[in-house]
Amino acid sequence: MAGGDELKLLGFWGSPFVLRARLALSFKGLSYEYVEEDLKNKSQLLLQSNPVHKKVPVLIHNGKPVCETKIIMQYLDEVYGPSLLPADPYDRAMARFWAAYIDDKLLGSLMMMSMGKTDEEKAEGRKQSSDAVETLERALKECSKGKPFFGGDSVGYVDVVLGGFVAWVHLIDRLTGLNVFDSSKTPLLAAWLESFGSLDAAMAVMPDVQRLVELSAR
């Protein structure tokens, strides 16, 4: 980190979107102060730093706030190397596309599958999540070019976006008895899940799954 830089991250441990920001900071090897927020009693710092949405994560860099997880990731790329986004403009566009797909398709279907109010809604969530995961399997094959990560040999932007859900994929598997990334159907994603989760930079910030189980039961 450049001399004199001050980084502070406002977050909540159980948020996958906060985890994305923490993963980006961790993979870049950046030192920062982490401030845990009580979302039922939000701090004045959070309310002042993000007056529009009043949500975490918020990155404060030298007193200036940056909000929304993917904007934080892109901001960190512009200020600090190495870049998570690819150098090639087309590859960068594709990385942003698949990151949006993860939030638009995978997240919604996983939420429906695990938190649906009826059996029919949960079944539809399982179908939609299966379709989304199979599409991501093809995306990983195309983007990785035979390497372990969406970014190739090393973790990239899409890996961190998807990596924010690693603990929650394990949580859903534990609660439902299903394998979201089933090695018999999506072997590349199953291998990715294991490889990403075993990286030191990921393990350093990954939340405990049992703690998430207890949170989900509240």
Side-chain angles (χ1 to χ4, degrees):
M1 187 186 300
D5 271 8
E6 181 183 77
L7 286 170
K8 181 181 295 186
L9 183 69
L10 311 184
F12 168 65
W13 74 269
S15 166
F17 304 102
V18 171
L19 179 58
R20 286 177 180 172
R22 299 196 73 180
L23 285 167
L25 288 160
S26 186
F27 279 107
K28 289 178 180 290
L30 297 171
S31 300
Y32 63 99
E33 178 187 356
Y34 176 70
V35 179
E36 179 73 10
E37 285 284 338
D38 179 354
L39 300 185
K40 294 182 179 179
N41 185 26
K42 298 174 182 178
S43 71
Q44 283 301 308
L45 180 59
L46 173 58
L47 297 176
Q48 292 168 4
S49 299
N50 189 359
V52 176
H53 299 298
K54 302 179 177 63
K55 293 180 179 180
V56 292
V58 176
L59 178 74
I60 302 175
H61 180 209
N62 292 335
K64 296 179 179 179
V66 182
C67 306
E68 206 281 317
T69 181
K70 285 187 285 191
I71 293 174
I72 289 171
M73 290 170 59
Q74 292 173 40
Y75 177 81
L76 289 171
D77 257 11
E78 293 178 2
V79 179
Y80 306 102
S83 178
L84 293 168
L85 281 163
D88 180 79
Y90 179 79
D91 290 341
R92 262 200 320 273
M94 289 299 97
R96 291 188 174 111
F97 173 86
W98 287 116
Y101 182 89
I102 289 167
D103 281 351
D104 293 344
K105 300 297 183 182
L106 181 62
L107 173 59
S109 62
L110 290 177
M111 293 291 288
M112 186 187 304
M113 179 178 70
S114 59
M115 302 178 67
K117 295 180 180 180
T118 65
D119 290 342
E120 291 77 10
E121 190 175 352
K122 291 179 180 178
E124 179 61 24
R126 286 194 294 272
K127 178 182 182 302
Q128 291 186 17
S129 65
S130 179
D131 291 343
V133 169
E134 288 178 8
T135 299
L136 282 175
E137 175 82 357
R138 294 192 293 272
L140 177 54
K141 182 177 182 179
E142 179 180 337
C143 295
S144 67
K145 299 177 176 61
K147 305 297 176 57
F149 302 109
F150 284 90
D153 285 317
S154 59
V155 164
Y157 183 75
V158 181
D159 296 290
V160 172
V161 170
L162 186 57
F165 294 132
V166 162
W168 288 263
V169 167
H170 289 305
L171 171 66
I172 291 170
D173 288 349
R174 186 176 297 187
L175 293 179
T176 64
L178 301 172
N179 289 321
V180 176
F181 294 166
D182 189 337
S183 60
S184 67
K185 298 177 181 177
T186 53
L188 296 180
L189 279 172
W192 175 93
L193 186 69
E194 183 175 350
S195 296
F196 186 91
S198 66
L199 294 171
D200 289 343
M203 289 192 293
V205 296
M206 197 68 64
D208 179 69
V209 176
Q210 181 56 40
R211 192 178 177 196
L212 287 175
V213 170
E214 295 167 2
L215 177 67
S216 68
R218 292 178 186 174

